[in-house]
């Protein structure tokens, strides 16, 4: 959800002060790295799995339910929080041990929690859907009135439009929903950032020692393109068939503070893959300071360098708030718990859903491959250009399992072949190194294998189901609503998406 702020008006002096505080926070990070002040310095932390799952709300007719305040009141669980759109909520899964059969226990706990939340939401005529992009969202749902009541969201909306100076434009050409269909194009303008709320994600956190951060971030960047091909679940927006993982271009365009002239000048976008491999986490915080003006310049009176001089660990409120408005697909996270600072990699490329076991499989594959890449004799990122990793992300998001990805020592390859031959064994080794049991490894990696062998992801299933309904004479609107009804039923049954029938 991000840091809460109150509604307010920002002056030029506020921005200058905030910039100074962020800069001093960045200096504090450098000192803490140099002085070994992070709690995990010199030793790998206990393996913990942490995740956030964003959820959509629908009514009995499968239309978006603008009811997150009522739903959260009904659920009455602090693990569930508000999100940007009134049709969104989020569940935060507290970090759990990532060893032995603990992942299986986490899966059972997540399933039970979601089942309870669904029962409570149904009492206010709403239902939870785990999907990367709600298929029944339409342009009228992007009106400013549907922004959640939390002042942070309206303030963020104001600041993005103030920086941009004009309405936001979405312009995405999709791929045909089936072989006998034509490609479609979504082209619209909006005066709110609510298209961002259409992008519902699974966000994975991995706590790492500071000296190991760069390797883990580089590994996460390298595998991002593979992640979106294997987990695509966001093919439709505003009645239009777009990419297999449309969250990627929609989020990039919906949160773009740059008018055309600044794009032409090469100004960096706020939704950013990055532009280079890194050597330390400091590289990322320094980029934030150098390239990105403040969106929410809320400052405290605390000098982070003075805190260090006094022997205290600074909370770095300004640096963390600023970092939360630079939307990297793999984001650095600085956090302080019980007076001790630590670092995390937050992986943000994955969509939500379709089922709990699919969610756990996506997480296990990511954690395993990243660990395997980090422990390889030769770093993958020393054999691969950064631009190739960025191209993989967009190619994989667009065409899914039909894409061609670049991989060192392999060249251009289909994602399923790359995964079956190289990445599943690597993920198994990585999970074993974490201490994950053979039973858990087999359960989750077999789901990834199943998608590769059947060629079916959530996006593939959605596209086939809509095409079949349209071929039977249904309109796009009816096909999307009927498909979503079937999707929700299968989601509750809980079998992995590669086993779903058309």
């Amino acid at each position: 959800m991000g840091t809460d702020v109150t509604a307010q008006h920002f002056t030029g002096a506020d921005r200058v002060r905030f910039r100074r505080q962020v800069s001093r926070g960045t200096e504090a990070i450098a000192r803490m790295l140099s002085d070994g002040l992070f709690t995990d310095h010199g030793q790998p932390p206990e393996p913990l799995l942490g995740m956030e799952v964003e959820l959509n709300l629908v009514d009995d007719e499968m239309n978006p339910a603008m009811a997150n305040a009522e739903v959260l009141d009904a659920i009455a669980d602090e693990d569930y929080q508000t999100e940007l759109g009134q049709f969104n909520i989020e569940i935060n899964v507290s970090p759990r041990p990532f060893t032995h059969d603990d992942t299986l226990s986490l899966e059972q706990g997540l399933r039970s929690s979601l089942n309870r939340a669904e029962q409570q939401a149904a009492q206010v005529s709403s239902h939870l859907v785990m999907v990367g992009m709600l298929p029944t969202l339409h342009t009228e749902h992007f009106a400013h009135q549907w922004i959640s009541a939390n002042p942070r969201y309206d303030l963020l909306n104001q600041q993005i439009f103030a920086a941009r100076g004009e309405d936001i434009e979405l312009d995405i050409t999709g791929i045909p929903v089936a072989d006998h269909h034509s490609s479609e194009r979504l082209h619209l303008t909006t005066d709110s950032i609510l298209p961002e709320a259409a992008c519902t994600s699974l966000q994975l956190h991995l706590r790492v020692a500071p000296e190991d951060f760069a390797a883990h971030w580089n590994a996460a960047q390298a595998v991002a393109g593979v992640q979106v091909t294997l987990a695509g679940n966001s093919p439709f927006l505003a009645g239009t068939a777009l990419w297999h993982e449309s969250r990627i271009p929609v989020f990039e365009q919906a949160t773009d503070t740059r008018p055309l002239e600044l794009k032409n000048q090469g100004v960096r976008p706020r939704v950013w893959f990055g532009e280079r491999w890194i050597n330390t986490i400091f590289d990322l915080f320094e980029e934030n300071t150098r390239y990105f003006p403040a969106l929410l310049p809320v400052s405290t009176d605390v000098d982070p360098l003075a805190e260090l001089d006094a022997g205290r660990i600074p909370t770095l409120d300004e640096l963390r708030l600023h970092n939360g408005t630079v939307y990297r697909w793999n984001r650095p996270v600085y956090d302080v718990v019980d007076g001790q600072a630590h670092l995390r990699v937050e992986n943000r490329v994955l969509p939500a859903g379709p089922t709990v076991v699919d969610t756990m499989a996506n997480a296990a594959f990511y954690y395993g491959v990243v660990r395997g890449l980090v422990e390889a004799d030769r770093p993958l990122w020393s054999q691969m250009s950064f631009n190739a990793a960025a191209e993989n992300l967009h190619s994989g998001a667009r065409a899914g399992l039909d894409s061609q990805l670049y991989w060192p020592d392999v060249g251009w390859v289909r994602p399923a072949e790359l995964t079956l031959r190289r990445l599943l064994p690597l993920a198994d080794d990585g999970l074993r190194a974490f201490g994950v049991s053979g039973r858990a490894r087999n359960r989750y990696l077999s789901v990834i294998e199943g998608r590769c062998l059947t060629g079916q992801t959530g996006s593939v299933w959605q596209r086939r189901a809509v095409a079949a309904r349209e071929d039977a004479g249904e309109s796009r609107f009816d096909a999307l609503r009927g498909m979503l009804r079937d999707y929700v039923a299968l989601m509750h049954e809980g079998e992995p998406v590669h086993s779903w029938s058309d």
Side-chain angles (χ1 to χ4, degrees), residues 138-383:
H138 289 276
T139 52
E140 61 264 29
H141 301 127
F142 301 147
H144 181 274
Q145 71 190 87
W146 302 126
I147 293 177
S148 291
N150 186 321
R152 178 182 191 271
Y153 298 126
D154 189 52
L155 190 56
L156 184 63
N157 185 79
Q158 294 174 26
Q159 294 303 305
I160 286 177
F161 278 91
R164 184 178 173 88
E166 58 190 55
D167 284 353
I168 286 172
E169 180 181 34
L170 298 185
D171 191 357
I172 304 165
T173 299
I175 59 176
V177 71
D179 290 340
H180 55 288
H181 289 242
S182 301
S183 61
E184 303 172 26
R185 180 188 179 194
L186 176 66
H187 188 198
L188 61 87
T189 58
T190 175
D191 61 356
S192 84
I193 60 170
L194 272 173
E196 176 191 338
C199 307
T200 38
S201 306
L202 166 66
Q203 297 161 19
L204 301 172
H205 291 254
L206 180 61
R207 179 168 160 176
V208 297
E211 59 270 23
D212 297 330
F213 183 92
H216 284 83
W217 187 85
N218 289 341
Q221 293 284 94
V223 77
V226 182
Q227 285 183 275
V228 297
T229 65
L230 297 175
N233 197 30
S234 313
F236 295 102
L237 181 64
T240 310
L242 299 176
W243 294 12
H244 279 265
E245 193 41 52
S246 305
R247 288 172 44 261
I248 303 301
V250 170
F251 198 82
E252 288 175 343
Q253 295 182 25
T255 318
D256 198 342
T257 58
R258 305 168 303 164
L260 180 61
E261 294 81 3
L262 293 185
K263 293 181 186 179
N264 292 338
Q265 293 174 37
V267 172
R268 279 85 172 171
R270 293 197 88 95
V271 179
W272 202 30
F273 187 73
E275 60 191 16
R276 60 182 174 131
W277 305 118
I278 65 169
N279 298 310
T280 170
I281 191 174
F282 180 78
D283 295 345
L284 301 179
F285 287 124
E286 185 181 40
E287 286 178 348
N288 289 357
T289 305
R290 293 176 60 196
Y291 297 146
F292 299 101
L295 280 183
L296 300 173
V298 179
S299 298
T300 68
D301 295 325
V302 178
D303 183 343
L305 298 179
E307 287 291 284
L308 286 176
D309 290 340
R312 294 186 291 268
I313 298 297
T315 56
L316 303 185
D317 293 339
E318 292 84 1
L319 178 142
R320 293 162 67 189
L321 179 58
H322 187 52
N323 185 54
T325 62
V326 179
Y327 303 99
R328 297 178 185 271
W329 291 113
N330 284 291
R331 177 187 278 168
V333 176
Y334 170 93
D335 205 358
V336 178
V337 178
D338 297 329
Q340 299 290 319
H342 70 259
L343 302 174
R344 301 194 304 270
V345 179
E346 181 188 17
N347 179 254
R348 300 163 53 83
V349 302
L350 288 167
T355 66
V356 171
V357 70
D358 283 303
T359 297
M360 294 299 301
N362 291 339
F365 179 78
Y366 165 74
Y367 286 119
V369 170
V370 166
R371 178 69 177 259
L373 291 176
V374 167
E375 295 189 346
D377 292 336
R378 182 181 176 190
L380 182 78
W381 44 98
S382 70
Q383 309 167 60

